[in-house]
Amino acid sequence: MATIPESPVNDPMLDPITGENLVIAPGHTFKSVTEEVSRIVLTGHTPLGWYFGFALAGSIVIMLLTAISWLFLKGVGIWGLDIPVAWGFAIINFVWWIGIGHAGTLISAFLLLFKQQWRNSINRFAEAMTIFAVICAALFPLIHVGRPWLGYWLIPYPSTMNVWPNFRSPLLWDVFAVSTYGIISVVFWYIGMVPDMGTMRDRCKSKVGQYFYGLLSVGWRGSVRHWMRYESACLLLAGLATPLVLSVHSVISFDFAVAILPGWHTAIFPPYFVAGAIYSGFAMVITLAVPIRKWYHLEDLITLRHLDNMGKVMLATGLIIAYGYAMDVFMAWFSASRFEFFMIWNRMFGPIGWAYWVLITCNIVLPQLLWLRKFRTNPTLLFLISLVINTGMWFERFVIIVVSLTRDYLPSSWGTYKATRWDYMTLGGTLGLFTALFFLFVRFLPMIPMSELRVLLPQSKIRRKAEPLEAGD
Amino acid sequence: MAHGPYSNSLPDLKTPAFVNDWRRGALITAAIFAVASAVLAYLAASLQHDGFQHLLRSYLMGFVLCWSFALGGQALLMLQYLTGGKWGLVVRRPLEAMARTLPLVALLFLPIGFCMKRLYLWARISDPAAAFKAHLITHDEAHAIAWKRPMLGIGSVWIQTIICFAIWFTFLYFMDRWSVQRDADPEPHVHFWQTRFENISGFGLVIYSITMTVVAIDWVMSLDVTWYSSMYGFLFLVGQGYAAFALVIYTTLKLSKAEPLKTVLRVTEQHDLGKLAFAFVMLNIYIAYSQFLIIWSGNLPDEIPWYLDRIRGGWGVIATLDFVFHWLVPFTLLLSRDIKRNKRRLMLVCGIMIFARCWDTFWLIAPNFPDAARNLHLSFGLFEYVTVPITVGAIWMWYYFTQLQKRPIVQTNDPHFDEIMEAQHAHA
Amino acid sequence: MPVQEGIYGLLAEFNTPEELVVAAKAAHDSGWRRLDCYTPYCLEEAAEAIGFHRNFVPLVCLVGGLMGLTAMFLMETWVAVFAYPLNVAGRPLFSWPAFVVPAYEWTILWAGLSAGFGMLALCGLPSLYHPLFNAPNFRDGATTDKFFLCLEASDPKFSILESRAFLENFQPTSVVEVEY
């Protein structure tokens, strides 16, 4: 080894020791990070772009409301559903949305457990993304049941009909999994926000704002006794949310795997669904983070390190689902079962075979570019790849659900599927709903946890000897 | 700000001397249990007319366990390079030692490779159609053997095994070489080494999961020629991580009785290791339970017999205890923060985890054979599943400890090295 | 609750966490027990300094989780075996492998709710009014960048002059009296 190329260490955004990108730009103080985040919310001047974006998203929500109203008037027949394909867009979208939500929980929970401090600046909006995605997801089964006003029948309660739900059905497991997920996500998000609400209350100039944030802060005053309990609660919630994420998408995979349809009944579904969910979720975090950090000038707080790490996570989870696809194909042969074999053949070369190749291209082929550091640290390229992955993951669910249903065991029950305009309007509408909710969040709540940013600063650590600080207050 | 040179006044980083005693202990154990196995095999053959069949089956069990430790160690090493974290520095050298036992594992494969016909139905039956006509096998078995021939044939399995070992040796060679070079490097060159290890580990893990799945199917799953599960490779992957991680924590804790690990292994890192062990415990039950639930719910005739073979006829006790050892006990214990931070107790938990892995391997392998499926009965042969794996395992341990002695026990050229060598500061 | 009047305590303001921890430790060592530190982020050392080592949130969470587990598993068993026995694809009435899933979800639900709301309850929150909010410098900095130590009047050692002198030893930015 004659020469070893050494990395340039002059860049202030690089750690001088490890040569990695920093989690937070140097030179910040407790006050400056607080101000950087809270100014976005506390400013009296709402940017024009915000109004424009919110109006656009709002009009898409109106389209969603139209589609749903028409659905309630006419019934699910307006969608492309038929026998044998009784699960169409609604279930695809449900699985897609809930998968997107999972990255949020994972960033806030899993990375907290493993002390990955780079998560601190992105966890709040990732968690918000989770909640909005769960809202969009939960909408679909609800409107899909046909008579949504009877939705409470899903809950086990002593009714006069003496009828109880069937606890052996994965569809009922879904009810508990998704509701638990929604509730715990909201609790985790809110508990995580309480100290920041205190900061907002103290920094807010308007009376209305003081009341609003004051109520939400439940009187937080930063006592260290409270902080210790608070940290315990956050760690516990993180410890609970991590297995919860695994279980929620596993339960969703059971919706398919517990049935005996070829293409659905396979043991690898739970981990491979979970990996797929995290994959698309991280893609969505990037889709949101790249424009936000640009528009709100948050390059100091959401650094290239975050993008790089998220790119790596996407690469890893993408490879896990590649393993899942490979096992699907391999086991179709190894099982020596003609039904399994036909299932894969039909998936690749059947009437809707093109969808399979779209998903392979989007999920497996193109994301291999993430092996290159250049692609992981370039916001624009990463943003484009994230869009590709989100598309690919939607197609994955399409292939699993629709393609398998169109070709059952018996050729006499084969069919086809064609989505209608109402299907597309509902899918597009939830995108609008998600965006609109996100606009509200960005405007009214601090999107980066200030109390956790302070911990990232070097002056937050207790030093043994009283040395003078390098970065002055 | 200024970061001192890493090798300023190096403390003694040699492996403690008592590892020599461990080696001797391992050899003595191997000798005793080899004798016991021989006696048991003789008794089984002469008194119970069982032949020597259990000897080979239990040997397979021992081999699979050693392979799990060696390859699991290598995979964890790669995982550790990829994720970073200070805990990695503490366990890196023991993991490397585990990975370096691969030559022994390759050697241990030979008896299985040469006796495939005695273990695997697909190796014994050369003409499935004729065997079916002679009522030796069922129609499903005949179809499966004929269909899977490209993968499951004696020559084919040999080729797959050799290719997989060749790949693992390649990775082992480079990772080991670079690790030594990194220690010898007078300059830190952190970025250079980190990138280098990250790159090989990234590719390595991908290759590892593929090769591991292939041989897990060849060596273990194909004992039941008709059954298949797409989860199987994953199950083995997580199981290997589970076993190797428990062993590496156990070794590190045991080594920390003396310097240098006494200083290096701080409570914080030990706590992190405990948490990771907990993650493996959860992941393992998750995978195992999902597979069970899906197959139980589907209740299809080509899948469910695998579980019935392992639950009925007394095997239910083994299965239940498997669940208890594998999940219930470690889970309950590792929930506690105090246990994770106490050396002796964490060692106990890791011991249970290693034992559980052996128990589980027994449950995976033994019921595959027609005389044992749905029929767990007391015989001399049954005890061979205790003595033979212990013999093989002890030989492996001896080699592992030998490898452990070959290098300094802590890697010196690492950005966390200075911090980790400061004695127990600020960690109450 | 009767209206409380008089002094709640003495509040010292510091600029750095080090100064706060030194002062808090000294106060605790010299026998102060009714005292508290206020910081803009979780400062474990300060909690250690005032002798707060163990909290009960994990216990509350564990109990909640066990309750959720038991409640759901018993309900499933009762519904499937006794209240509404139904043959579904030949599966046994007591289908425990299937019952594990909702029981697991409820374990997490109850444990999570217990942890979140149990933490607030143990902290005595919500309490929208607190005497400390009367101190203007506290409202300005406690949740942003300042570190506070409050010696409370309910401690038997409290005396306005001596306590103030004690706090002044540590060169705080300011020491103010906090009224109810």
Side-chain angles (χ1 to χ4, degrees):
Chain A
M1 253 182 329
T3 53
I4 290 175
E6 196 53 24
S7 65
V9 290
N10 304 329
D11 190 338
M13 288 304 283
L14 293 181
D15 188 317
I17 297 165
T18 63
E20 295 213 311
N21 280 304
L22 286 175
V23 179
I24 188 166
H28 273 291
T29 63
F30 293 132
K31 205 172 187 102
S32 73
V33 289
T34 310
E35 252 161 20
E36 186 126 333
V37 176
S38 58
R39 73 180 155 84
I40 297 171
V41 175
L42 293 179
T43 172
H45 166 77
T46 309
L48 209 63
W50 187 90
Y51 282 115
F52 180 73
F54 187 67
L56 192 72
S59 54
I60 301 175
V61 174
I62 292 172
M63 179 178 83
L64 174 70
L65 292 175
T66 318
I68 292 181
S69 310
W70 190 241
L71 176 80
F72 286 177
L73 285 171
K74 300 287 281 186
V76 286
I78 64 165
W79 288 347
L81 301 179
D82 205 342
I83 300 299
V85 186
W87 279 10
F89 266 39
I91 305 299
I92 299 169
N93 298 342
F94 165 67
V95 180
W96 188 66
W97 270 121
I98 206 137
I100 283 175
H102 285 353
T105 320
L106 221 81
I107 287 176
S108 48
F110 187 73
L111 299 180
L112 175 65
L113 290 182
F114 285 95
K115 299 184 185 166
Q116 299 284 326
Q117 288 196 324
W118 59 274
R119 74 175 258 294
N120 285 15
S121 27
I122 52 173
N123 80 45
R124 171 80 43 77
F125 79 75
E127 185 79 2
M129 184 192 84
T130 298
I131 292 166
F132 303 149
V134 172
I135 291 173
C136 291
L139 188 71
F140 281 104
L142 216 59
I143 58 176
H144 187 244
V145 292
R147 281 177 280 180
W149 49 93
L150 297 178
Y152 63 92
W153 283 7
L154 294 165
I155 299 162
Y157 71 102
S159 75
T160 49
M161 295 171 282
N162 270 324
V163 172
W164 291 87
N166 169 23
F167 282 100
R168 299 174 198 86
S169 161
L171 299 183
L172 190 68
W173 306 344
D174 257 359
V175 174
F176 291 104
V178 174
S179 61
T180 300
Y181 187 47
I183 294 170
I184 293 293
S185 297
V186 171
V187 170
F188 193 23
W189 189 55
Y190 175 66
I191 294 286
M193 225 165 8
V194 165
D196 276 3
M197 289 295 118
T199 307
M200 300 301 281
R201 169 200 66 204
D202 292 349
R203 301 184 64 81
C204 190
K205 297 283 181 289
S206 80
K207 208 77 196 158
V208 181
Q210 282 173 355
Y211 274 115
F212 176 68
Y213 294 119
L215 275 176
L216 285 178
S217 76
V218 293
W220 183 264
R221 52 185 187 274
S223 152
V224 284
R225 291 168 214 264
H226 294 184
W227 271 117
M228 293 305 281
R229 296 194 189 101
Y230 172 86
E231 286 281 295
S232 277
C234 282
L235 277 174
L236 285 167
L237 279 166
L240 292 165
T242 307
L244 178 63
V245 171
L246 292 191
S247 81
V248 170
H249 226 68
S250 301
V251 167
I252 286 168
S253 81
F254 289 149
D255 288 346
F256 307 103
V258 158
I260 53 171
L261 192 73
W264 283 16
H265 183 73
T266 171
I268 197 144
F269 256 27
Y272 139 58
F273 263 57
V274 171
I278 296 162
Y279 191 42
S280 63
F282 269 86
M284 191 54 112
V285 175
I286 288 177
T287 312
L288 295 172
V290 169
I292 283 184
R293 103 191 245 282
K294 180 110 187 100
W295 287 333
Y296 286 102
H297 307 294
L298 293 172
E299 282 91 349
D300 276 7
L301 306 181
I302 303 173
T303 64
L304 288 181
R305 170 80 172 277
H306 295 102
L307 300 182
D308 188 21
N309 280 354
M310 288 194 281
K312 283 180 188 166
V313 174
M314 287 205 298
L315 183 62
T317 46
L319 288 167
I320 297 177
I321 62 165
Y323 179 87
Y325 297 152
M327 283 317 281
D328 264 351
V329 177
F330 171 74
M331 281 299 163
W333 170 76
F334 189 82
S335 66
S337 150
R338 75 177 77 167
F339 299 108
E340 293 283 327
F341 198 77
F342 173 75
M343 177 275 293
I344 280 292
W345 185 89
N346 176 57
R347 197 179 264 188
M348 290 175 172
F349 308 111
I352 328 181
W354 57 270
Y356 184 76
W357 299 110
V358 170
L359 101 88
I360 293 291
T361 315
C362 293
N363 283 352
I364 309 295
V365 180
L366 289 177
Q368 297 312 313
L369 290 172
L370 292 171
W371 283 100
L372 304 174
R373 195 183 161 81
K374 199 188 293 169
F375 277 80
R376 294 198 306 263
T377 48
N378 181 326
T380 320
L381 292 176
L382 205 56
F383 180 73
L384 291 177
I385 289 184
S386 75
L387 293 182
V388 166
I389 291 172
N390 271 320
T391 319
M393 286 311 293
W394 190 88
F395 271 97
E396 182 201 295
R397 277 64 178 250
F398 178 83
V399 166
I400 289 172
I401 294 173
V402 170
V403 178
S404 301
L405 282 173
T406 53
R407 291 290 182 271
D408 201 342
Y409 284 103
L410 291 174
S412 62
S413 59
W414 288 1
T416 188
Y417 176 78
K418 195 165 175 6
T420 65
R421 80 182 75 156
W422 302 103
D423 283 312
Y424 290 109
M425 276 168 71
T426 324
L427 170 61
T430 47
L431 283 171
L433 176 64
F434 180 80
T435 320
L437 289 170
F438 216 85
F439 269 106
L440 290 176
F441 162 68
V442 169
R443 182 65 191 88
F444 294 109
L445 294 173
M447 66 176 132
I448 295 181
M450 294 175 275
S451 62
E452 291 177 33
L453 278 186
R454 294 182 197 120
V455 182
L456 293 180
L457 297 175
Q459 56 265 48
S460 74
K461 308 278 180 297
I462 299 278
R463 272 174 304 273
R464 295 290 98 188
K465 286 155 269 166
E467 304 162 25
L469 275 180
E470 274 173 32
D473 190 8
Chain B
M1 171 67 222
H3 211 77
Y6 299 110
S7 44
N8 206 346
S9 54
L10 268 188
D12 188 13
L13 294 177
K14 269 225 279 299
T15 314
F18 54 71
V19 175
N20 262 324
D21 302 342
W22 297 2
R23 287 175 61 201
R24 201 174 322 118
L27 277 186
I28 295 170
T29 316
I32 294 173
F33 279 90
V35 173
S37 311
V39 172
L40 281 170
Y42 172 74
L43 289 175
S46 58
L47 298 180
Q48 291 176 330
H49 309 292
D50 262 2
F52 292 104
Q53 49 189 6
H54 290 294
L55 210 54
L56 202 58
R57 295 174 192 173
S58 50
Y59 179 80
L60 178 66
M61 176 181 157
F63 165 73
V64 166
L65 283 169
C66 296
W67 166 66
S68 293
F69 289 133
L71 205 59
Q74 198 177 10
L76 284 177
L77 191 64
M78 292 173 175
L79 193 69
Q80 175 277 124
Y81 277 123
L82 276 184
T83 54
K86 288 169 204 160
W87 61 272
L89 187 55
V90 182
V91 294
R92 199 173 289 161
R93 279 290 146 85
L95 284 176
E96 283 178 4
M98 279 160 86
R100 282 204 307 274
T101 59
L102 202 60
L104 178 71
V105 176
L107 218 61
L108 288 175
F109 174 74
L110 295 179
I112 292 168
F114 290 124
C115 304
M116 278 191 209
K117 286 196 173 178
R118 292 178 149 271
L119 273 173
Y120 303 97
L121 186 68
W122 48 261
R124 200 155 52 240
I125 306 289
S126 49
D127 184 356
F132 170 59
K133 285 221 179 74
H135 300 287
L136 291 174
I137 51 175
T138 65
H139 179 264
D140 284 349
E141 284 168 342
H143 171 65
I145 291 172
W147 181 270
K148 297 176 188 179
R149 194 52 98 195
M151 183 167 178
L152 300 181
I154 296 180
S156 162
V157 167
W158 262 107
I159 293 171
Q160 291 165 48
T161 306
I162 290 171
I163 292 177
C164 288
F165 268 110
I167 292 173
W168 300 331
F169 275 122
T170 315
F171 277 102
L172 177 65
Y173 173 76
F174 282 109
M175 294 194 69
D176 192 45
R177 206 178 116 119
W178 291 347
S179 174
V180 175
Q181 285 179 353
R182 185 177 185 178
D183 255 12
D185 194 347
E187 287 293 310
H189 293 304
V190 175
H191 188 39
F192 168 78
W193 286 114
Q194 234 158 32
T195 317
R196 198 166 215 199
F197 277 109
E198 267 174 29
N199 287 346
I200 194 173
S201 303
F203 285 111
L205 275 182
V206 174
I207 305 287
Y208 158 76
S209 29
I210 296 168
T211 48
M212 211 277 322
T213 307
V214 170
V215 292
I217 291 171
D218 283 344
W219 295 346
V220 191
M221 188 166 108
S222 72
L223 286 168
D224 184 334
V225 76
T226 54
W227 189 72
Y228 59 93
S229 160
S230 47
M231 186 79 108
Y232 206 77
F234 220 81
L235 200 70
F236 250 81
L237 207 111
V238 175
Q240 281 192 346
Y242 183 101
F245 207 72
L247 182 64
V248 81
I249 298 179
Y250 195 90
T251 320
T252 315
L253 289 174
K254 196 121 190 174
L255 285 171
S256 71
K257 284 203 183 103
E259 296 292 349
L261 274 177
K262 198 172 180 179
T263 314
V264 169
L265 183 70
R266 299 175 301 180
V267 185
T268 330
E269 272 77 49
Q270 186 190 328
H271 194 173
D272 287 350
L273 288 173
K275 280 195 237 168
L276 279 169
F278 185 74
F280 270 109
V281 169
M282 292 306 289
L283 206 58
N284 192 68
I285 189 70
Y286 162 67
I287 303 276
Y289 181 76
S290 307
Q291 176 181 292
F292 170 67
L293 183 62
I294 288 170
I295 291 179
W296 176 87
S297 296
N299 204 20
L300 287 175
D302 50 349
E303 291 178 337
I304 196 75
W306 192 84
Y307 275 108
L308 295 180
D309 287 350
R310 281 162 179 72
I311 290 173
R312 293 194 172 161
W315 284 101
V317 180
I318 306 284
T320 312
L321 286 176
D322 193 11
F323 167 78
V324 171
F325 298 143
H326 229 122
W327 182 76
L328 194 63
V329 175
F331 168 80
T332 322
L333 293 177
L334 285 176
L335 270 184
S336 150
R337 173 188 152 96
D338 296 341
I339 291 181
K340 276 182 285 206
R341 294 171 86 93
N342 179 312
K343 278 187 186 173
R344 269 199 30 241
R345 291 183 194 157
L346 188 60
M347 262 166 76
L348 178 74
V349 178
C350 289
I352 295 172
M353 285 169 71
I354 296 170
F355 172 72
R357 194 63 207 145
C358 302
W359 189 273
D360 185 61
T361 313
F362 169 62
W363 183 72
L364 282 178
I365 289 179
N368 277 305
F369 303 95
D371 56 295
R374 307 187 197 195
N375 176 22
L376 177 71
H377 55 280
L378 207 61
S379 68
F380 289 117
L382 195 63
F383 291 102
E384 287 174 39
Y385 290 100
V386 181
T387 58
V388 177
I390 291 185
T391 314
V392 181
I395 295 173
W396 182 86
M397 287 287 175
W398 166 78
Y399 194 61
Y400 167 47
F401 298 144
T402 313
Q403 293 298 334
L404 206 55
Q405 286 179 316
K406 285 197 176 161
R407 303 271 152 81
I409 201 70
V410 183
Q411 184 155 43
T412 48
N413 191 352
D414 188 284
H416 298 309
F417 180 75
D418 277 357
E419 183 197 336
I420 223 157
M421 286 309 291
E422 278 178 46
Q424 282 307 88
H425 59 80
H427 286 274
Chain C
M1 209 171 122
V3 181
Q4 285 172 303
E5 281 179 33
I7 292 181
Y8 172 77
L10 275 173
L11 185 69
E13 177 186 329
F14 298 95
N15 276 331
T16 65
E18 284 89 357
E19 293 169 306
L20 171 73
V21 171
V22 169
K25 187 142 183 52
H28 188 260
D29 287 348
S30 61
W32 283 91
R33 288 299 174 267
R34 301 265 165 91
L35 78 172
D36 209 344
C37 301
Y38 299 88
T39 52
Y41 56 90
C42 182
L43 190 62
E44 265 182 61
E45 288 87 348
E48 295 281 333
I50 58 167
F52 185 77
H53 299 294
R54 198 166 258 283
N55 67 69
F56 293 99
V57 177
L59 185 68
V60 173
C61 173
L62 180 71
V63 172
L66 289 175
M67 279 165 65
L69 175 72
T70 323
M72 184 49 115
F73 201 85
L74 289 182
M75 179 172 79
E76 287 175 306
T77 309
W78 178 75
V79 164
V81 179
F82 303 106
Y84 195 55
L86 197 64
N87 183 339
V88 180
R91 294 188 182 98
L93 290 181
F94 179 60
S95 294
W96 64 265
F99 297 167
V100 166
V101 180
Y104 174 87
E105 301 298 341
W106 261 37
T107 311
I108 290 188
L109 179 67
W110 285 45
L113 292 177
S114 313
F117 292 102
M119 180 274 289
L120 289 183
L122 286 171
C123 291
L125 299 174
S127 77
L128 296 184
Y129 171 77
H130 193 274
L132 281 173
F133 293 137
N134 295 333
N137 63 338
F138 185 84
R139 294 202 44 187
D140 237 22
T143 53
T144 305
D145 61 344
K146 298 289 189 235
F147 300 82
F148 292 91
L149 172 66
C150 182
L151 300 180
E152 289 163 24
S154 50
D155 194 288
K157 275 176 77 81
F158 189 84
S159 119
I160 291 201
L161 292 177
E162 282 167 33
S163 307
R164 176 182 279 276
F166 177 78
L167 286 173
E168 299 281 6
N169 282 335
F170 304 101
Q171 278 109 34
T173 317
S174 70
V175 178
V176 293
E177 284 169 28
V178 180
E179 307 266 333
Y180 270 105

